[in-house]
Amino acid sequence: MSTQTTGESISLASLTSLGVGGHAGRFVCVTDRTSLQVEVRQARAQNSRIYLLGGGSNLVVADEGVNGTVVQVAIKGQTILEETAEGIRIRVNAGEVWDDFVAHAVNNQWAGVECMSGIPGWVGAAPIQNIGAYGQEVASVIEQVEVLDLNTGRFENYSNSECQFSYRSSAFKKNKATPKAVVSVTFKLKKKNEGLVQYRDLQADFASSGQAPELQHVRDAVLRIRGNKSMLLEDKDPNGQSAGSFFTNPILDEEGRTQLLQKTEGAPPIYPYGDRYKTSAAWLIEQAGFEKGFALGAAALSSKHTLAITNQGNASSAEIVHLAKVIQAKVWDRWQILLIPEPQFWGFDPHPLMEQAP
Ligand code: EPU
């Protein structure tokens, strides 16, 4: 059994890619299932609220920090459950770095996650917000998610349909009353050395290169495109301190689409999404008057992509939230379209941004 406790005074800023936020009341990093269960039981016995942490790449922590117990689920390892001529079933523990898993899959010529190359964070967070990029969503390759229910202290398995995946969401994200710690994710991947080239940016990349889209080629292209947009969250990149996309792309019904067209000169990006439409949050932000690099204090939009809010060095959490609020309000005033925040927020009560239309 292994738990590493780092005392009372750990700064959560140092554990997040955005680099803002105060301290945790108590911080523990667990590296196996039993320790997770023990720590959760102990926190509950002490009436301490539990905050679950993975790689910290999708998280905004308040300057005041949090009073409860932060549990980082750093359980590592993976097991091949089944291998046939067609494909593979592999169980990957929550603490594995997501992109290491993608690199491993691509290396072994297992298809299904190559377009999600370069997404920051750990495997355990992937199902929570149904990560996706360049035409792939993790929901399409997940067979099962194993969780620890924080209320009952018991392990449970969720099938793909029980996860209720939708765009950047899942049952785990929605059901806040029954919080779950993801322990492992079982993926079903195909043995096929052919990458998915569906998204416009990728198609453009392959049209000019003339390469056959092998998995490694697609991974390389995605990493290049993400790098050009500063979406790799690298330390050396001045846009690297961010939480990735700060807002989700709005989903519009027919009326919303008509209104957007009426209130906009030119052609807004609108893509079919089931029986509705998806528009681009980055585009709305730009059209509302916020250029790439727009800054308020030490919080700034990425100079490469208006959807990422960055910490330009010594930003406070309040500055990050202020910039996000200003953007959300302006987009709402202009189109009555609500930009829904994408990262998790800790230590704010109530949520500092609008989560629903006023
Ligand atoms: N655009 C702008 N200005 C910008 C950037 C983009 O106007 O600065 C417009 C363009 O019209 C562009 C469109 O936005 O065609 C879409 O941009 P992009 O392809 O970069 O994708 P996105 O919709 O902004 C989503 C995901 C990303 C994912 C990319 C690529 C969400 C919230 N974000 O971004 O995921 O990498 O697609 O597939 O769905 C994340 O979730 O944190 C994330 C980075």
Side-chain angles (χ1 to χ4, degrees):
M1 196 178 103
S2 158
T3 300
Q4 296 145 22
T5 306
T6 322
E8 300 290 300
S9 64
I10 190 153
S11 153
L12 292 172
S14 65
L15 296 174
T16 72
S17 57
L18 193 52
V20 300
H23 288 65
R26 180 177 145 80
F27 172 80
V28 290
C29 176
V30 295
T31 54
D32 63 72
R33 285 173 168 68
T34 312
S35 312
L36 173 64
Q37 217 170 12
V38 167
E39 291 296 340
V40 163
R41 208 172 287 152
Q42 188 177 328
R44 289 195 61 82
Q46 292 168 351
N47 256 330
S48 175
R49 181 164 167 192
I50 298 166
Y51 294 85
L52 295 164
L53 180 69
S57 57
N58 198 39
L59 183 58
V60 183
V61 182
D63 293 317
E64 296 73 24
V66 295
N67 270 329
T69 302
V70 172
V71 181
Q72 188 173 42
V73 187
I75 307 170
K76 297 213 177 285
Q78 54 189 42
T79 312
I80 292 177
L81 301 177
E82 189 188 5
E83 184 164 6
T84 64
E86 287 78 42
I88 189 132
R89 287 173 56 237
I90 182 167
R91 186 174 60 217
V92 185
N93 287 331
E96 288 291 334
V97 172
W98 169 259
D99 194 52
D100 290 351
F101 164 59
V102 175
H104 181 67
V106 166
N107 255 332
N108 284 284
Q109 304 188 350
W110 302 333
V113 288
E114 64 281 358
C115 294
M116 291 179 277
S117 292
I119 294 184
W122 295 358
V123 166
I128 295 174
Q129 61 147 343
N130 184 16
I131 60 169
Y134 302 102
Q136 274 175 348
E137 275 188 351
V138 78
S140 66
V141 288
I142 288 181
E143 185 182 83
Q144 181 171 287
V145 178
E146 183 195 4
V147 300
L148 180 77
D149 183 303
L150 300 191
N151 291 340
T152 64
R154 291 207 193 95
F155 292 103
E156 296 171 347
N157 285 311
Y158 276 64
S159 67
N160 183 295
S161 65
E162 286 167 339
C163 293
Q164 296 171 30
F165 290 119
S166 58
Y167 168 60
R168 289 297 183 278
S169 193
S170 69
F172 313 117
K173 188 167 170 179
K174 280 180 277 194
N175 303 340
K176 296 200 171 88
T178 52
K180 321 269 184 195
V182 175
V183 175
S184 73
V185 184
T186 301
F187 298 94
K188 209 172 169 182
L189 302 173
K190 290 206 168 74
K191 282 189 182 167
K192 183 177 79 165
N193 192 15
E194 195 183 314
L196 182 70
V197 180
Q198 207 176 57
Y199 201 80
R200 215 179 27 194
D201 281 5
L202 270 184
Q203 283 171 344
D205 205 84
F206 282 100
S208 58
S209 75
Q211 278 180 322
E214 291 184 5
L215 294 175
Q216 188 63 52
H217 297 155
V218 172
R219 172 167 168 81
D220 293 345
V222 168
L223 290 176
R224 198 165 49 241
I225 296 167
R226 287 189 79 96
N228 289 340
K229 293 185 183 181
S230 287
M231 284 294 194
L232 287 179
L233 306 193
E234 293 167 312
D235 289 346
K236 57 184 182 330
D237 184 336
N239 294 306
Q241 276 197 294
S242 94
S245 300
F246 206 92
F247 298 102
T248 56
N249 287 321
I251 311 294
L252 306 174
D253 56 16
E254 194 61 55
E255 194 190 330
R257 173 178 173 268
T258 308
Q259 283 203 27
L260 174 61
L261 288 166
Q262 278 170 357
K263 292 178 185 168
T264 309
E265 283 169 30
I270 298 180
Y271 315 98
Y273 184 76
D275 57 356
R276 294 188 287 168
Y277 305 91
K278 198 194 260 185
T279 188
S280 158
W283 186 90
L284 293 169
I285 292 168
E286 274 195 39
Q287 294 298 306
F290 302 99
E291 292 178 357
K292 295 183 179 71
F294 175 88
L296 288 176
L301 294 182
S302 161
S303 62
K304 306 268 186 64
H305 200 302
T306 51
L307 198 49
I309 294 183
T310 66
N311 170 0
Q312 289 297 305
N314 54 356
S316 64
S317 185
E319 279 178 301
I320 299 285
V321 166
H322 178 62
L323 176 56
K325 270 183 162 167
V326 169
I327 289 169
Q328 202 187 36
K330 193 104 181 264
V331 168
W332 176 261
D333 287 349
R334 171 93 165 75
W335 291 281
Q336 286 74 58
I337 291 177
L338 179 70
L339 291 183
I340 297 173
E342 199 239 27
Q344 288 188 33
F345 287 74
W346 285 6
F348 299 90
D349 192 18
H351 195 291
L353 293 167
M354 285 188 279
E355 290 185 288
Q356 281 173 0

